[in-house]
Amino acid sequence: MMRFSLPAEFPVKRSELLTALALVVLVKVVMFVFFTINYQQVMPLWYSYSPLAFGSGDTDGYLIPIEAWVNGEGYSTMCRMPGLLPIYGPMYALLGPVDGRSAFAVFQLLADVVQVIVLAHIVARFTQSMRGFWIAVFLFSFSTFISLRSNMMLSDTISSAWMIFSLFFLMRAADRRSQGYFLLAGIFLAWSVFLRPIGLVFYLPAGLLIWGSFHFRIAASLRPVLIFALPLVISTGVWTAWNYSRSGRFIPLQAPFDECFGYITKEHHAFRGLIIHMGEVYMSWSRKSAAAWIFRDTGKEPEFNPFDESDFTSIMTYDSLLQ
């Protein structure tokens, strides 16, 4: 019989935990203030949603349907799953649009702080050392990858935190054979899918972790797997039924890209398909991306080449794409 076991939970002293929490709060608050001041200076007026909250081209796609739902008009889109509704909805209802958005930014700051501590616990467990705990605290406290998004009215910070919380509770569930923890882990991961559908890819490794924690016995692991998957099955079932009632179509996650971004031309869609087919990531806002290269000012020579030789064929060469 195959054997698999997770590293044992590593105890972190209360005094060190409080010290780490104080450090993370200090660093994250300083970063939050820094990015707030920076955004206030550089963000266009239409992306300044409140003194603390800012946005991008995607922001209205999240906010407008939630605000419409709170105002009694129904959730008005199939292009964004309503993962932020339980968080921003009450804030908007109680505080209004400006203060509600500031409250949302503060909520993201708190989520960012907590996810660093939880992630440090997970690292300590795998390394079985306080050194691993403190390395994680320092690395993820000072990382700007998530911190610069805490002010943004998007789903990045919360989806990241919810995935980390799901892993934490899943490991605890595997230790204690706790149905409650399996359910809690499933709730957080399902919620992360409603924030960013890419969270679906974590269900396979999560299922393997559960199966392995029961020594790869299908009968023993079946119930925990079903409990873990139950929140996703119920929530996506309700969401799919809602979409079907409105459109008559089967849309389990989000409507197709060209439907959600109807203002984009057919040529733009064609180039997007080409970029994805070539294995590149479609990010036109990233200065060094393939999309930025294609949609550059064609009157100038390109300053960089984001492609590999393997991206081209004898028919489609770099020179032909350049023309």
Side-chain angles (χ1 to χ4, degrees):
M1 181 182 295
M2 296 177 64
R3 291 286 179 179
F4 169 84
S5 61
L6 289 167
E9 286 194 58
F10 188 82
V12 178
K13 293 180 180 179
R14 180 181 176 85
S15 58
E16 296 206 60
L17 179 61
L18 292 176
T19 301
L21 180 59
L23 173 64
V24 175
V25 169
L26 175 62
V27 173
K28 292 296 185 181
V29 168
V30 169
M31 284 189 175
F32 186 84
V33 172
F34 171 80
F35 286 121
T36 297
I37 295 172
N38 181 265
Y39 288 146
Q40 287 174 345
Q41 294 174 347
V42 303
M43 278 289 182
L45 181 62
W46 54 89
Y47 283 157
S48 297
Y49 289 90
S50 83
L52 299 180
F54 306 88
S56 70
D58 290 337
T59 298
D60 284 345
Y62 289 103
L63 299 190
I64 291 176
I66 295 173
E67 294 173 357
W69 186 86
V70 173
N71 293 332
E73 301 168 10
Y75 196 78
S76 56
T77 183
M78 294 179 289
C79 296
R80 293 291 181 190
M81 300 176 76
L84 290 179
L85 177 58
I87 300 170
Y88 175 63
M91 296 175 182
Y92 172 75
L94 295 173
L95 302 174
V98 177
D99 290 341
R101 293 165 183 178
S102 291
F104 180 79
V106 173
F107 181 88
Q108 290 197 119
L109 171 63
L110 295 175
D112 193 12
V113 169
V114 176
Q115 74 173 329
V116 171
I117 296 298
V118 173
L119 187 56
H121 268 285
I122 295 173
V123 172
R125 177 170 183 160
F126 279 104
T127 61
Q128 289 292 296
S129 70
M130 284 305 299
R131 177 179 295 178
F133 176 85
W134 281 108
I135 289 174
V137 166
F138 277 96
L139 285 179
F140 294 108
S141 292
F142 288 95
S143 171
T144 60
F145 186 76
I146 292 295
S147 294
L148 63 82
R149 290 170 170 80
S150 292
N151 299 81
M152 302 296 289
M153 298 295 292
L154 297 169
S155 61
D156 303 66
T157 299
I158 300 174
S159 63
S160 166
W162 272 210
M163 289 180 198
I164 291 170
F165 297 166
S166 177
L167 176 59
F168 176 82
F169 287 122
L170 186 60
M171 294 172 70
R172 180 157 289 188
D175 284 337
R176 305 182 183 185
R177 300 291 194 266
S178 167
Q179 295 183 11
Y181 278 127
F182 279 121
L183 181 62
L184 195 56
I187 289 172
F188 273 107
L189 190 54
W191 197 344
S192 79
V193 171
F194 273 70
L195 294 164
R196 298 292 295 269
I198 191 64
L200 275 175
V201 303
F202 293 102
Y203 273 89
L204 177 58
L208 291 174
L209 189 152
I210 296 172
W211 186 32
S213 69
F214 284 86
H215 307 300
F216 299 99
R217 293 178 296 177
I218 294 177
S221 60
L222 181 60
R223 184 180 179 88
V225 167
L226 292 176
I227 292 173
F228 175 72
L230 186 63
L232 180 70
V233 173
I234 293 175
S235 57
T236 54
V238 172
W239 172 244
T240 303
W242 168 258
N243 288 334
Y244 187 83
S245 70
R246 298 178 63 226
S247 68
R249 293 178 295 156
F250 177 73
I251 302 176
L253 296 176
Q254 296 177 166
F257 180 88
D258 55 351
E259 180 178 331
C260 294
F261 299 90
Y263 56 87
I264 296 178
T265 65
K266 292 181 179 180
E267 291 78 13
H268 194 122
H269 279 298
F271 276 119
R272 178 178 179 271
L274 174 64
I275 291 169
I276 294 174
H277 182 73
M278 294 171 74
E280 302 287 341
V281 178
Y282 180 81
M283 296 188 300
S284 57
W285 56 90
S286 177
R287 296 179 180 178
K288 297 296 183 180
S289 68
W293 186 92
I294 286 177
F295 297 112
R296 72 192 187 282
D297 182 352
T298 55
K300 300 178 181 179
E301 286 295 320
E303 298 177 355
F304 63 97
N305 177 9
F307 304 105
D308 294 324
E309 290 185 8
S310 59
D311 292 331
F312 300 102
T313 66
S314 58
I315 298 175
M316 190 191 78
T317 64
Y318 177 82
D319 290 336
S320 65
L321 190 62
L322 188 62
Q323 297 172 2

